[in-house]
Amino acid sequence: MGGITYDDLLNATPHQYKSTADAWGKWRDAVDKHAGDLLTVNQHVSGNWDSAAAGEAHAFIDAKHLKVQASSKVLAQVESTLTTAYTNFAEAHNKLVATVQKAVGDGFDCTGGHVTDTKPAADTKQDRNDRVTLRQGYQNDIDAALKEATSADSSVATALRGLMPGNTDLAGGNGDGPGNRGGNGATATPVDYSRSGDIPVPPNASTLAPNPRAQQVIDWALTKLGDPYVWGATGPDRFDCSGLTSQAYKAAGLTIPRTSDVQWQQEPSVPAGHEQPGDLVFFHMGNTGPGHVGIVLDPEKGTMIVAPHTGDHVKIDNYKTQNPIGFARPT
């Protein structure tokens, strides 16, 4: 049998899973605090600085804040995975210990996980059959415990393969700070959208909106997927967050303010839970208003079209996991 062996499980110390989970939880708490500190700095920059340098600093800090938030979510998933594995592994360990103790008490040997009868042959056929049935029951219980332990152990490896760097960009630098740009203001490293791992365009994207204008907003924004984020840019092939939203509405025949804070101030608000495809979704409240905005794509899935931050590109992302502060529906 592959995976966890009989001796591994019998002599295991399941609390090690719990200790590891607790350690990841402490790391997550520290990252959460870092995310909060970055958001505070970003709000100060948004409310008190002027000039293009301030905007670039705002975009840079915002990019780091979003990465730290993403890291915190990954750490929480790792902690949850390890905690579940600890519970399942501990249950399997306890089942195995109890089974072996009972089997030995009934005169069976369980060395190596193979149950054998150490008692002399019974006198009657019925007694012999009973012993065979009893031995098989213990063997089945041991095999089941090993299977449960192996499943718990492999679940950790499977989960971590999907969460660790290479699939997830943990909060670390990747050279996307202010000044790391090409001579024309574009990000220094071009984005290959087909390999970016973004949420794919849903098959019903062209029929999601409740009215033609909202559908025009969505259709236009979807044509910009993969275009790089550049602070202050309004197209035609690079955008910041509000540059994308203002130009999407312009393409649909409606002029809205250029920046996210004024969009928030002037456009009619929509209660959370009542947002529709094509609405604006806002994040990161500062002194003058939100510092970030996207376009709702599918409220049921919680998706939006957004130009996230420096070093990223226009993409489909999940807004419900990013603590939106409100919605608006330009008219």
Side-chain angles (χ1 to χ4, degrees):
M1 173 182 290
I4 300 296
T5 69
Y6 170 82
D7 289 333
D8 287 338
L9 184 57
L10 189 64
N11 301 309
T13 52
H15 69 273
Q16 290 179 347
Y17 272 114
K18 186 66 169 62
S19 298
T20 304
D22 291 344
W24 282 81
K26 290 178 181 179
W27 188 12
R28 181 209 62 213
D29 291 341
V31 170
D32 279 342
K33 182 180 183 303
H34 184 43
D37 292 343
L38 283 172
L39 184 58
T40 299
V41 171
N42 211 15
Q43 290 170 343
H44 179 80
V45 169
S46 299
N48 295 282
W49 290 18
D50 294 315
S51 81
E56 183 70 4
H58 169 85
F60 175 65
I61 297 170
D62 193 48
K64 294 305 177 187
H65 172 255
L66 291 175
K67 284 187 177 181
V68 171
Q69 278 191 321
S71 298
S72 177
K73 292 172 186 174
V74 170
L75 294 172
Q77 288 175 275
V78 172
E79 179 189 12
S80 176
T81 296
L82 289 170
T83 299
T84 300
Y86 156 73
T87 300
N88 294 340
F89 195 92
E91 288 180 356
H93 168 75
N94 292 339
K95 287 179 183 178
L96 181 66
V97 171
T99 298
V100 171
Q101 289 177 344
K102 191 172 182 181
V104 170
D106 284 338
F108 294 95
D109 181 84
C110 300
T111 302
H114 302 289
V115 183
T116 56
D117 197 344
T118 61
K119 280 192 173 182
D123 294 333
T124 68
K125 182 177 180 181
Q126 183 61 51
D127 288 340
R128 290 194 295 272
N129 288 341
D130 289 345
R131 293 292 293 178
V132 169
T133 300
L134 189 59
R135 185 201 68 78
Q136 189 59 52
Y138 287 134
Q139 186 66 65
N140 291 343
D141 289 344
I142 288 175
D143 292 344
L146 292 175
K147 185 176 180 180
E148 290 174 19
T150 297
S151 177
D153 190 63
S154 63
S155 70
V156 175
T158 300
L160 296 189
R161 276 197 299 271
L163 294 173
M164 290 297 93
N167 294 315
T168 300
D169 184 9
L170 291 180
N174 63 353
D176 61 354
N180 185 34
R181 299 175 176 277
N184 61 0
T187 51
T189 304
V191 174
D192 182 354
Y193 174 69
S194 65
R195 300 182 181 178
S196 64
D198 301 342
I199 297 174
V201 179
N204 62 338
S206 61
T207 59
L208 282 169
N211 59 70
R213 172 172 282 171
Q215 191 63 56
Q216 283 182 287
V217 170
I218 290 174
D219 291 344
W220 184 90
L222 288 174
T223 68
K224 303 303 176 181
L225 294 176
D227 286 356
Y229 176 101
V230 175
W231 182 83
T234 57
D237 57 1
R238 60 203 63 190
F239 301 89
D240 66 8
C241 65
S242 56
L244 178 71
T245 57
S246 61
Q247 292 304 302
Y249 269 91
K250 182 178 180 180
L254 186 63
T255 299
I256 66 173
R258 162 68 182 87
T259 59
S260 58
D261 55 349
V262 185
Q263 290 173 5
W264 169 266
Q265 295 164 12
Q266 295 188 9
E267 302 305 327
S269 63
V270 176
H274 295 273
E275 68 272 18
Q276 297 177 352
D279 289 350
L280 301 176
V281 53
F282 296 92
F283 309 85
H284 311 325
M285 179 63 77
N287 290 343
T288 61
H292 192 51
V293 63
I295 300 169
V296 174
L297 177 60
D298 186 346
E300 289 189 8
K301 303 293 185 182
T303 54
M304 64 178 170
I305 308 167
V306 64
H309 50 76
T310 301
D312 213 326
H313 56 277
V314 178
K315 67 200 307 182
I316 297 175
D317 204 351
N318 192 302
Y319 66 81
K320 289 187 177 179
T321 61
Q322 299 184 34
N323 301 316
I325 59 174
F327 303 87
R329 185 172 301 152
T331 56

